[in-house]
Amino acid sequence: MEKFGKVDEYLSVRGIKPSYQRIKVFDYLIRYRNHPTVDTIYKELVGEIPTLSKTTVYNTLKLFHDKGIVLVINIEDNETRFDADVSNHGHFKCIKCGEIYDFRLEAENLNLPDLSDFKIDEQHIYLKGTCPKCE
Amino acid sequence: MEKFGKVDEYLSVRGIKPSYQRIKVFDYLIRYRNHPTVDTIYKELVGEIPTLSKTTVYNTLKLFHDKGIVLVINIEDNETRFDADVSNHGHFKCIKCGEIYDFRLEAENLNLPDLSDFKIDEQHIYLKGTCPKCE
DNA sequence: GTATCTGCAAAACATTTGCAATTCT
DNA sequence: AGAATTGCAAATGTTTTGCAGATAC
């Protein structure tokens, strides 16, 4: 994951003090790139960090989101997921296996009409269906 | 709202018994077109239907969704909203006033790449930013 | 030593479930 | 009467909040 350089430096540069917990959470996000929920992150890390609390995971992800280094993914109404890839891309969720795939989104692919007076800050494209493995 | 004809008929044709509560909920959706949450619908209708319970609103919206006559909108992670317009359109949420706007989506506007092996059932386009009124 | 960060416990919400009462035909 | 619908109360699950202790600079 050279793209991020050393994680503590990546965080520092963006005004986030690189605490042990924050480094581990961010490291998890970029290592697995699996669009995890808070619960997934917590369960994965608590083995390594026995004192970890979910509150800290919530705090950390909120901070990351405020600082613009993670995206919040609301593709399903009963689970909030997170993504450290903040580039412009879309998400596809397979309704059979539950896997979430990323796909590239070129600007010209989204030529939205009559929104000239709207200032667009965020753009989320969510698709649902069946992935090649499950078809 | 001629598009829906009489609500009880619209529901019946789609295999939904048009109970008083169901008619009122659907009527609310098509009359206000305001992408309400369960709570909004409940609060609006309980004045008119004093015995109404939130459970019934939940049951009703789940039934409507299963039968394909409402869309679930997850533009925000802390609120599930509903839309009786099931045509292909996108949603824009103003982060200042909170209003949600619909916008048309033509097929050629969404020319998504390399998804030929994926079977797409649902497509959600959510934008966030500032609306003309709030700019 | 003072700020910040962490994590426990409780609170606040949103949603679901079980079941009994009601309604409809 | 029988089947479906409604609605209460309780359970569940997720996220937030208050605060005390730990950690970092």
Side-chain angles (χ1 to χ4, degrees):
Chain A
M1 304 297 137
E2 310 73 32
K3 177 177 177 183
F4 293 95
K6 281 163 71 194
V7 169
D8 59 351
E9 201 174 303
Y10 185 87
L11 298 179
S12 295
V13 168
R14 287 159 183 81
I16 299 168
K17 277 197 201 163
S19 75
Y20 182 62
Q21 289 85 342
R22 289 170 181 173
I23 291 171
K24 286 296 188 185
V25 170
F26 195 75
D27 186 62
Y28 179 87
L29 289 172
I30 60 178
R31 186 131 41 85
Y32 293 98
R33 303 179 158 283
N34 54 351
H35 316 91
T37 62
V38 164
D39 198 60
T40 302
I41 297 170
Y42 172 77
K43 287 202 169 86
E44 282 294 319
L45 293 181
V46 76
E48 206 180 341
I49 316 171
T51 62
L52 186 66
S53 76
K54 264 191 196 176
T55 302
T56 296
V57 180
Y58 276 106
N59 289 341
T60 299
L61 291 167
K62 183 176 189 319
L63 177 68
F64 287 175
H65 185 230
D66 290 348
K67 297 289 186 180
I69 67 167
V70 302
L71 292 180
V72 175
I73 302 174
N74 286 131
I75 197 167
E76 210 69 79
D77 60 356
N78 54 354
E79 54 183 34
T80 301
R81 293 166 170 272
F82 298 88
D83 191 348
D85 179 358
V86 292
S87 72
N88 190 26
H89 66 288
H91 295 105
F92 177 98
K93 176 165 184 173
C94 176
I95 55 176
K96 294 198 179 142
C97 67
E99 173 114 10
I100 293 184
Y101 297 83
D102 293 305
F103 58 89
R104 220 150 274 111
L105 262 184
E106 312 301 342
E108 65 270 17
N109 288 327
L110 253 189
N111 175 27
L112 302 171
D114 59 52
L115 286 169
S116 41
D117 297 334
F118 291 72
K119 188 173 146 291
I120 299 173
D121 294 327
E122 280 183 54
Q123 161 179 311
H124 300 268
I125 315 289
Y126 299 136
L127 306 181
K128 296 188 199 182
T130 311
C131 76
K133 280 192 226 157
C134 294
E135 260 184 291
Chain B
M1 302 297 133
E2 311 73 34
K3 178 177 177 184
F4 294 95
K6 281 161 72 191
V7 170
D8 59 351
E9 201 174 304
Y10 184 86
L11 298 179
S12 294
V13 168
R14 287 159 182 81
I16 299 168
K17 277 199 199 160
S19 76
Y20 182 61
Q21 289 85 341
R22 290 170 180 173
I23 291 171
K24 286 296 187 183
V25 170
F26 195 75
D27 187 62
Y28 179 86
L29 289 171
I30 59 177
R31 187 132 41 83
Y32 293 98
R33 304 181 157 283
N34 55 350
H35 316 91
T37 61
V38 164
D39 197 60
T40 302
I41 297 169
Y42 172 76
K43 287 201 170 85
E44 281 294 319
L45 293 181
V46 75
E48 206 181 341
I49 315 170
T51 62
L52 185 65
S53 76
K54 263 191 197 177
T55 304
T56 297
V57 180
Y58 277 106
N59 287 342
T60 299
L61 291 167
K62 183 177 188 319
L63 177 68
F64 287 175
H65 185 230
D66 290 348
K67 297 289 186 179
I69 67 167
V70 303
L71 292 181
V72 174
I73 302 174
N74 285 132
I75 197 168
E76 210 69 78
D77 59 357
N78 53 355
E79 53 181 35
T80 301
R81 292 166 171 272
F82 299 87
D83 192 347
D85 179 358
V86 293
S87 71
N88 190 26
H89 66 288
H91 294 105
F92 177 99
K93 176 165 184 175
C94 176
I95 55 176
K96 292 195 180 147
C97 67
E99 171 114 13
I100 294 184
Y101 298 83
D102 293 305
F103 58 89
R104 219 148 277 113
L105 264 185
E106 312 300 341
E108 65 269 19
N109 292 130
L110 253 191
N111 175 26
L112 302 170
D114 58 54
L115 286 169
S116 42
D117 296 335
F118 290 72
K119 188 172 146 290
I120 298 172
D121 294 327
E122 280 182 55
Q123 161 178 311
H124 300 268
I125 315 288
Y126 300 135
L127 306 181
K128 295 188 200 183
T130 312
C131 75
K133 279 192 226 159
C134 293
E135 261 186 289

